[in-house]
Amino acid sequence: MSEDREPDVEFRARVQARRLRFEAVPEVRIDASASGSNRVNLPDRVEPHVTYEDVHIDHVMLSWLEPPAEDPPAEERAAE
């Protein structure tokens, strides 16, 4: 990750719900260089069988890609 430059990939999502209910606590895994969310009326860890009302979630995931490795010069490839 390099915060010295703009991310190569930026994904933003906004979710709104009048009512949201979880029967079980979900297992969540996010593979990104950086991510975060702003939530209204929804805790970071939800409870099973609780109905949350007037929910708003803004989520962002950022990722920085590594440049591809440079190919060795042609004469080095021929010797392999």
Side-chain angles (χ1 to χ4, degrees), residues 15-56:
V15 176
Q16 296 178 316
R18 285 188 210 121
R19 285 181 297 284
L20 185 60
R21 181 180 177 90
F22 296 88
E23 296 303 317
V25 176
E27 292 184 31
V28 178
R29 180 178 169 197
I30 298 174
D31 292 326
S33 300
S35 71
S37 63
N38 291 320
R39 298 171 176 221
V40 175
N41 296 329
L42 187 68
D44 287 335
R45 182 150 175 88
V46 298
E47 297 291 327
H49 309 292
V50 172
T51 301
Y52 301 95
E53 295 185 357
D54 195 25
V55 172
H56 299 264

Side-chain angles (χ1 to χ4, degrees), residues 1-6 64:
M1 175 173 81
S2 174
E3 295 181 9
D4 297 335
R5 61 185 171 92
E6 292 293 316
W64 289 260

